[in-house]
């Protein structure tokens, strides 16, 4: 919704198209709280699965993410 609003405002400023009169965006409120966590049992099962996963590189990345809380994109961007 924000992107659409910005496009419409840009078009209005550039004289390409007037901003629609009376158009109001009702943005939802965002809640950035963590809503789900693994239980100890779920964590143990996931760790056990990752230890036996044939995709060892993927499993190692997942373990790194679980241990550090690093974002996936940051983990994949790591270099030796």
């Amino acid at each position: 919704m924000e992107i659409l609003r910005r496009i419409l405002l840009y078009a209005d400023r550039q004289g390409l198209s007037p901003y629609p009169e009376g158009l109001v965006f009702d943005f939802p409120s965002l809640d950035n709280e963590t809503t789900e966590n693994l239980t100890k049992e779920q964590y143990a099962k996931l760790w056990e699965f990752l230890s036996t996963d044939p995709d060892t590189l993927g499993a190692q990345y997942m373990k790194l993410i679980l241990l550090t809380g690093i974002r996936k994109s940051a983990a994949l961007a790591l270099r030796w």
Side-chain angles (χ1 to χ4, degrees):
M1 289 183 358
E2 177 63 22
I3 293 172
L4 177 59
R5 185 183 73 83
R6 287 181 183 211
I7 291 170
L8 292 171
L9 288 171
Y10 177 80
D12 184 51
R13 283 192 304 268
Q14 297 298 314
L16 301 171
S17 175
Y19 191 84
E21 192 174 317
L23 179 64
V24 177
F25 288 89
D26 184 22
F27 293 100
S29 61
L30 298 178
D31 182 1
N32 290 335
E33 286 185 35
T34 301
T35 56
E36 294 181 30
N37 291 311
L38 293 175
T39 64
K40 289 182 180 184
E41 294 79 20
Q42 290 172 326
Y43 187 87
K45 282 184 176 183
L46 178 57
W47 195 266
E48 182 182 340
F49 171 78
L50 292 172
S51 298
T52 60
D53 190 353
D55 179 12
T56 55
L57 183 60
Q60 290 170 353
Y61 271 116
M62 190 63 192
K63 285 181 178 181
L64 174 71
I65 291 168
L66 287 170
L67 289 172
T68 63
I70 192 173
R71 292 181 179 169
K72 179 181 78 169
S73 59
L76 294 173
L78 293 173
R79 299 287 177 250
W80 284 109

